[in-house]
Amino acid sequence: MKAPRVTLDQWRTLQAVVDHGGFAQAAEAMHRSQSSISYTVARMQEQLGVPLLRIDGRKAVLTEAGEVLLRRSRQLVKSAGQLEELAHHMEQGWEPEVRLVVDAAYPTVRLVRALSAFMPQSRGCRVLLREEVLSGVEEALVQGHADLAISGLNIPGHLGADLSIVDFVAVAHPDHPLHRLQRDVTHQDLETQMQVVIRDSGRLQPRDVGWLGAEQRWTVGSLATATTFVSNGLGFAWLPRHMIERELKDGLLKPLPLNQGGVRESRFYLYPNKEKPLGPATQILVELLTTFASVPLDAHFAAPQSQA
């Protein structure tokens, strides 16, 4: 790729001439001589091969090409400034990115709220969000692939902060044989039917959490797929209540009348990477994730305005 012929300083000079209304005004604003400003702009036009300014009376006016190039240059200069600012923040210990690994059953709306509030404070720090299931979150944390992890499991050797409880509801389509029993459903009834379970994304020690030993078991890769299967009459499953509210409302799913265990509560925890000190950006994200974990899911939320 050919190196640019025009420097950022030259683009800044052209912007100053236009924004301040002339060469003399730009020279005063930039604390430079007028001859230096004039030479810089003349040199730019020579290097680019197109006229950028024309003199109209005593005022420098942009040409058509100058208007287009100036407009594009403003974003260029702004991006360069943001890059330098990010480097300054990194020098002060501000992280360039935070790796957040989350169990897929954790309410996405809580993440959206926390990350929306984080954006205006991020100072260019990126969030790399990754979803896993069950022990997949634990593996990512233990193997050092996560700075923060949200899991419904107790991860040995790690201290987690309480976030919130997620209800898993035993459901099936209203026409499912279990509902046609028209009585309380027992553990023995469940064993005769097909259960849909979510595949653990962990590879080292995958778990069969929630499987009852039913005669038939279909294992799927996501909660969304499980919801679709069960909503169409294919088996029963325990699914997060917040993910199936629409299906329950539309009559595609119906809670099973279990004599016990129809609703399972799973408490989720926020785990930091104990092998890596929390940087300032990560600490802010921890505070926001913790704060929004206690806000009702149906509460009104207005995303903060991003800083220019």
Side-chain angles (χ1 to χ4, degrees):
M1 181 177 179
K2 188 163 62 174
R5 288 175 291 180
V6 178
T7 66
L8 289 172
D9 180 67
Q10 288 175 300
W11 287 119
R12 290 191 183 100
T13 302
L14 177 63
Q15 291 173 16
V17 171
V18 174
D19 294 343
H20 295 284
F23 292 94
Q25 298 89 328
E28 183 179 353
M30 299 184 75
H31 306 290
R32 291 164 57 180
S33 67
Q34 183 174 341
S35 61
S36 171
I37 298 295
S38 299
Y39 174 78
T40 299
V41 174
R43 180 62 177 156
M44 280 185 72
Q45 296 182 106
E46 180 183 332
Q47 290 170 312
L48 292 171
V50 293
L52 302 174
L53 295 171
R54 59 181 175 83
I55 302 302
D56 186 0
R58 295 186 177 181
K59 189 174 182 181
V61 180
L62 283 169
T63 64
E64 185 176 340
E67 289 182 358
V68 174
L69 293 174
L70 179 68
R71 185 167 58 249
R72 296 286 296 271
S73 75
R74 291 191 186 280
Q75 185 58 47
L76 176 67
V77 171
K78 179 181 178 181
S79 297
Q82 292 173 338
L83 188 62
E84 293 174 1
E85 185 179 9
L86 177 58
H88 173 67
H89 292 320
M90 291 172 65
E91 182 184 13
Q92 295 180 322
W94 197 272
E95 313 92 293
E97 65 183 27
V98 177
R99 299 167 300 170
L100 174 61
V101 180
V102 182
D103 190 292
Y106 190 73
T108 302
V109 66
R110 299 198 189 280
L111 298 176
V112 169
R113 291 170 176 173
L115 294 176
S116 296
F118 177 72
M119 281 182 61
Q121 309 177 58
S122 64
R123 301 186 190 179
C125 175
R126 300 179 301 169
V127 176
L128 303 184
L129 178 62
R130 171 175 150 193
E131 283 191 332
E132 297 286 348
V133 177
L134 295 171
S135 71
V137 179
E138 179 180 355
E139 282 185 20
L141 183 65
V142 172
Q143 293 176 356
H145 301 315
D147 300 311
L148 296 174
I150 296 177
S151 175
L153 301 177
N154 288 310
I155 301 180
H158 293 261
L159 294 175
D162 283 0
L163 288 181
S164 58
I165 291 176
V166 172
D167 287 341
F168 288 77
V169 185
V171 291
H173 189 276
D175 293 333
H176 191 276
L178 289 171
H179 282 300
R180 292 204 298 266
L181 293 174
Q182 297 186 345
R183 58 170 172 78
D184 285 351
V185 175
T186 66
H187 184 277
Q188 288 73 27
D189 295 324
L190 295 178
E191 288 182 335
T192 66
Q193 300 295 323
M194 183 180 73
Q195 181 179 357
V196 178
V197 296
I198 316 301
R199 180 183 296 108
D200 189 329
S201 63
R203 296 184 178 183
L204 299 180
Q205 292 181 320
R207 309 181 186 186
D208 276 327
V209 175
W211 181 46
L212 297 178
E215 292 181 4
Q216 300 180 68
R217 176 178 74 167
W218 281 11
T219 303
V220 298
S222 71
L223 288 162
T225 300
T227 300
T228 300
F229 276 33
V230 179
S231 296
N232 283 276
L234 297 176
F236 70 93
W238 271 266
L239 298 171
R241 188 189 300 275
H242 67 270
M243 293 188 68
I244 58 173
E245 288 181 344
R246 178 176 298 178
E247 287 78 8
L248 290 170
K249 182 179 179 180
D250 293 345
L252 297 175
L253 290 177
K254 182 179 178 181
L256 289 170
L258 291 174
N259 57 4
Q260 58 180 357
V263 177
R264 296 172 174 171
E265 291 186 346
S266 180
R267 179 169 291 280
F268 279 74
Y269 302 91
L270 176 61
Y271 294 95
N273 185 336
K274 66 178 183 179
E275 304 298 333
K276 180 181 177 182
L278 294 183
T282 307
Q283 291 181 34
I284 291 174
L285 188 53
V286 166
E287 293 174 5
L288 292 171
L289 288 168
T290 304
T291 298
F292 285 103
S294 60
V295 178
L297 293 177
D298 58 355
H300 173 72
F301 173 75
Q305 295 296 316
S306 299
Q307 294 178 343

